[in-house]
């Protein structure tokens, strides 16, 4: 890619970031983006085929990183022995979310696009995807407790979904409110203490 192409893309990305953050994906105007960037519509279509492609170019890397970290955390946890899982559950979970927190703070505009401005795109369902992973992981953990002779009382799947949704939305409130990292780390620690105590009570552990 030539220096001129990189310069043009930077102008388009800057204008797009401003437009999407202000208006959200659905209401953002491609015409305004092109005008603000100071390029022609024809020049724009030389780089992207649509507004959707442009939005993807801004957020896809961040989305994939968050989902990869979250999936890897669950995979590594299930690879622990049955005896190790109860001892490491809180530590693994908090470490994964701490990594995601620091990454989000370094990519604040991109994660805000996903959290607040992505209606009309697949990225609007990121938290829902994470919730489904959390619910499935919880059911696998029930099986572990059963094998350890410490079965948990039956828990309604809809309640699990609600609790997981609340937990993840509470976590991402840190990002929405643009908390300083030190304050956000403390918030995360307190949130995990609260969540862990609640889950231990529900699971009878």
């Amino acid at each position: 890619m030539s220096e001129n192409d990189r310069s043009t893309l930077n102008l388009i990305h800057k204008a797009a970031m401003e437009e999407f953050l202000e208006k959200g994906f659905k209401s953002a105007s491609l015409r305004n983006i092109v005008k603000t960037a100071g390029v022609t519509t024809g020049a724009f279509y030389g780089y992207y085929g649509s507004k959707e492609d442009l939005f993807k170019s801004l957020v896809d890397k961040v989305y994939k990183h968050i989902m990869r970290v979250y999936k890897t955390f669950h995979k590594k946890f299930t690879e622990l022995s049955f005896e190790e899982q109860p001892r490491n559950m809180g530590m693994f979970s908090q470490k994964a979310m701490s990594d995601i927190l620091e990454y989000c703070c370094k990519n604040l505009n991109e994660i805000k696009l996903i959290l607040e401005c992505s209606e009309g795109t697949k990225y609007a369902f990121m938290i829902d995807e994470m919730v489904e992973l959390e619910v499935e992981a919880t059911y696998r953990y029930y099986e572990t407790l059963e094998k350890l002779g410490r079965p948990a009382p039956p828990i309604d799947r809809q309640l699990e979904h609600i609790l997981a949704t609340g937990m993840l939305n509470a976590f991402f409130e840190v990002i929405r409110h643009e908390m300083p990292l030190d304050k956000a780390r403390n918030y995360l620690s307190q949130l995990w203490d609260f969540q862990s105590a609640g889950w231990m009570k529900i699971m009878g552990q």
Side-chain angles (χ1 to χ4, degrees):
M1 182 181 292
S2 70
E3 188 64 35
N4 186 58
D5 284 336
R6 280 193 290 270
S7 178
T8 301
L9 273 175
N10 285 338
L11 290 171
I12 292 171
H13 289 168
K14 183 175 184 295
M17 182 67 75
E18 292 172 359
E19 180 79 3
F20 287 135
L21 284 173
E22 180 183 351
K23 300 177 182 176
F25 171 78
K26 289 181 73 174
S27 298
S29 165
L30 191 54
R31 180 178 297 177
N32 285 347
I33 292 170
V34 170
K35 182 180 178 181
T36 302
V39 301
T40 66
T41 302
F44 170 83
Y45 284 114
Y47 298 101
Y48 298 109
S50 64
K51 185 171 74 169
E52 290 85 350
D53 290 341
L54 176 58
F55 191 85
K56 178 181 178 180
S57 75
L58 297 177
V59 304
D60 196 59
K61 179 182 176 182
V62 169
Y63 163 79
K64 286 180 177 177
H65 179 86
I66 290 171
M67 294 306 297
R68 182 167 58 250
V69 170
Y70 205 63
K71 289 176 181 178
T72 299
F73 143 64
H74 284 300
K75 182 176 183 294
K76 287 183 176 180
F77 182 76
T78 58
E79 290 172 349
L80 294 174
S81 69
F82 295 148
E83 291 76 18
E84 289 177 303
Q85 287 186 25
R87 294 197 300 268
N88 289 279
M89 179 175 61
M91 180 188 72
F92 264 61
S93 179
Q94 191 166 356
K95 175 65 168 61
M97 299 312 290
S98 180
D99 289 350
I100 291 173
L101 171 65
E102 298 213 14
Y103 182 78
C104 287
C105 287
K106 293 175 182 176
N107 297 273
L108 187 59
N109 283 338
E110 290 80 5
I111 190 61
K112 288 190 78 172
L113 285 182
I114 293 173
L115 295 175
E116 300 175 353
C117 309
S118 61
E119 183 182 359
T121 76
K122 71 173 186 177
Y123 303 102
F125 302 102
M126 183 185 75
I127 292 179
D128 295 322
E129 292 178 53
M130 295 174 76
V131 167
E132 290 306 316
L133 288 171
E134 192 67 30
V135 170
E136 291 304 319
T138 303
Y139 264 83
R140 289 195 299 270
Y141 187 61
Y142 293 160
E143 293 174 357
T144 294
L145 292 175
E146 185 79 31
K147 290 171 182 175
L148 289 171
R150 297 161 49 185
I155 303 175
D156 183 81
R157 196 176 182 91
Q158 188 173 19
L159 174 60
E160 281 191 41
H161 189 277
I162 291 169
L163 292 174
T165 300
M167 176 188 72
L168 286 162
N169 275 304
F171 168 77
F172 282 111
E173 280 298 291
V174 172
I175 311 302
R176 291 187 172 101
H177 290 288
E178 300 185 29
M179 285 187 187
L181 186 55
D182 286 346
K183 183 178 180 180
R185 288 194 188 105
N186 184 56
Y187 173 98
L188 180 60
S189 177
Q190 291 178 320
L191 175 63
W192 244 249
D193 286 345
F194 175 81
Q195 293 286 342
S196 296
W199 277 110
M200 293 293 283
K201 176 70 174 178
I202 289 174
M203 291 181 172
Q205 301 300 306

